[in-house]
C-alpha cells in the first residue's frame, strides 16, 4: 500500500479496512504479515485510534488477529481452517445459484465485464490485479444475483481463501479459474441453474487444490527438517 493522497477520514469510516481487504485480495499483504498501527496511520494520514478501530472491525471479520505486545497480524489460516472456509463458501454459493431467479441481460453484462477485466489482468501478467479480480468475482456474483449481505459475507470468506490459495496459484490455474467463471455465466445466461451449480462446485474444488499444495509443501518441509536434524541410526 502506498501513502494515501488524502486522509482516510475524508471518506467513509470503513475506507481503511476496505483498502486493507483489497491489498490482501491482491496479494500485496501476505498471510502472517504484521500491520503496524504507526505505519498505517502515516499511510492513511489519520490517528492511530482510527487505525485501531479499523483493525478491530477486521478482527471481527476474521481477517486480522492481535497478538499481545506484538500488534496486529493478517491471519494465517491452517490448511484445515482454509478447507472449512471453502466448504462454507460452497454451501453459500451453490445454494445461491440453485435458488437464483432469472438473471437479466443487464446482470449478465455486469458479470461479463468483470471477466473481461480478469482476462485483461491475465494478458498483462498483473498478478496482484489478477488475484483480486479472480477472488472478487464471487463477491460480484453474489451482489449481482444475490444481495449485498451475501456479498459482504462472501468477501470475508473469499479474502480468507485468497490469503492461502493465491500463494500457490500458477498462471495455468488462474486462466482455468477465469474460464470457469465464463462457463458459470454461460449457464446462468442460458437459464440452466443446475448446470451453474455443477460448474461452481467443480470450480471450488479446483480452488481447493491450492490448499493441497500447501499441505504437501508443509509436510515436505517437516520431513526435510527431520532428515537434517534427526539422530543417526
Amino acid at each position: 500500500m502506498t501513502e494515501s493522497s488524502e486522509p482516510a477520514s475524508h471518506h467513509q469510516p470503513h475506507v481503511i479496512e476496505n483498502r486493507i481487504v483489497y491489498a490482501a485480495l491482491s496479494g500485496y499483504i501476505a498471510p502472517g504479515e504484521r500491520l503496524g498501527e504507526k505505519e498505517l496511520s502515516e499511510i492513511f494520514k489519520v490517528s492511530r485510534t482510527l487505525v485501531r478501530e479499523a483493525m478491530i472491525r477486521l478482527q471481527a471479520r476474521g481477517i486480522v488477529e492481535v497478538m499481545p505486545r506484538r500488534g496486529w497480524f493478517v491471519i494465517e489460516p491452517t490448511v484445515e481452517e482454509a478447507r472449512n472456509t471453502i466448504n462454507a463458501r460452497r454451501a453459500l454459493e451453490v445454494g445461491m445459484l440453485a435458488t437464483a431467479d432469472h438473471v437479466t441481460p443487464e446482470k449478465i453484462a455486469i458479470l461479463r465485464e468483470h471477466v473481461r477485466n480478469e482476462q485483461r489482468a491475465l494478458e498483462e501478467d498483473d498478478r496482484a490485479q489478477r488475484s483480486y479480480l479472480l477472488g472478487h468475482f464471487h463477491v460480484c456474483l453474489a451482489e449481482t444475483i444475490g444481495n449485498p449481505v451475501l456479498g459482504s459475507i462472501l468477501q470475508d470468506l473469499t479474502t480468507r481463501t485468497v490469503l492461502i490459495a493465491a500463494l500457490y496459484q500458477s498462471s495455468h490455474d488462474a486462466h482455468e479459474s477465469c474460464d470457469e467463471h465464463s462457463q458459470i455465466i454461460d449457464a446462468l445466461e442460458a437459464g440452466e441453474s443446475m448446470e451453474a451449480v455443477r460448474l461452481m462446485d467443480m470450480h471450488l474444488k479446483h480452488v481447493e487444490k491450492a490448499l493441497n499444495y500447501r499441505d504437501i509443501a508443509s509436510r515436505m518441509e517437516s520431513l526435510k527438517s527431520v532428515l537434517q536434524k534427526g539422530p543417526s541410526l
Side-chain angles (χ1 to χ4, degrees):
M1 291 182 292
T2 57
E3 186 170 305
S4 176
S5 60
E6 57 182 317
S9 56
H10 286 183
H11 304 280
Q12 297 179 13
H14 59 265
V15 67
I16 297 175
E17 58 181 308
N18 283 348
R19 289 183 186 173
I20 290 174
V21 168
Y22 173 81
L25 279 170
S26 302
Y28 288 112
I29 297 178
E33 187 165 336
R34 184 177 181 276
L35 299 174
E37 289 182 7
K38 181 177 182 294
E39 292 80 2
L40 289 174
S41 68
E42 292 173 353
I43 288 172
F44 292 111
K45 297 184 175 67
V46 297
S47 69
R48 293 180 64 170
T49 299
L50 188 57
V51 169
R52 194 173 301 117
E53 290 175 1
M55 292 297 103
I56 291 172
R57 289 194 292 270
L58 287 170
Q59 181 185 31
R61 295 169 63 180
I63 295 171
V64 304
E65 58 186 350
V66 64
M67 297 185 182
R69 295 184 295 279
R70 293 188 60 198
W72 298 96
F73 291 82
V74 179
I75 61 158
E76 191 168 13
T78 64
V79 172
E80 181 180 3
E81 289 170 340
R83 285 201 182 103
N84 288 338
T85 299
I86 287 186
N87 285 333
R89 285 182 55 186
R90 182 176 289 111
L92 286 172
E93 297 189 58
V94 168
M96 173 183 69
L97 291 174
T99 58
D101 296 326
H102 172 69
V103 183
T104 65
E106 291 76 16
K107 293 180 178 180
I108 292 295
I110 292 172
L111 297 172
R112 296 277 188 210
E113 178 63 21
H114 190 100
V115 170
R116 280 195 291 272
N117 289 333
E118 292 177 14
Q119 293 167 339
R120 188 176 303 112
L122 286 165
E123 291 168 1
E124 296 174 356
D125 197 26
D126 187 337
R127 293 179 63 87
Q129 188 70 349
R130 176 189 89 184
S131 177
Y132 170 74
L133 289 170
L134 289 174
H136 199 261
F137 169 80
H138 298 266
V139 181
C140 179
L141 182 65
E143 291 177 341
T144 303
I145 72 171
N147 59 68
V149 173
L150 186 56
S152 178
I153 294 172
L154 275 174
Q155 176 162 276
D156 293 348
L157 292 176
T158 299
T159 302
R160 292 169 68 87
T161 306
V162 170
L163 283 170
I164 295 298
L167 298 178
Y168 303 91
Q169 186 180 54
S170 67
S171 178
H172 172 77
D173 291 335
H175 278 87
E176 185 179 69
S177 288
C178 183
D179 290 342
E180 289 170 355
H181 291 169
S182 290
Q183 292 167 17
I184 291 169
I185 298 171
D186 289 342
L188 290 172
E189 187 172 28
E192 299 174 354
S193 59
M194 288 302 101
E195 175 63 5
V197 165
R198 186 189 70 80
L199 290 168
M200 179 62 77
D201 185 60
M202 183 184 300
H203 173 60
L204 291 175
K205 286 177 180 176
H206 291 162
V207 172
E208 194 171 6
K209 287 193 304 183
L211 308 182
N212 296 329
Y213 297 153
R214 180 177 190 255
D215 200 16
I216 292 171
S218 177
R219 284 188 279 114
M220 289 300 294
E221 190 63 31
S222 297
L223 175 60
K224 179 181 177 181
S225 177
V226 169
L227 292 175
Q228 291 176 336
K229 299 178 182 179
S232 301
L233 300 179

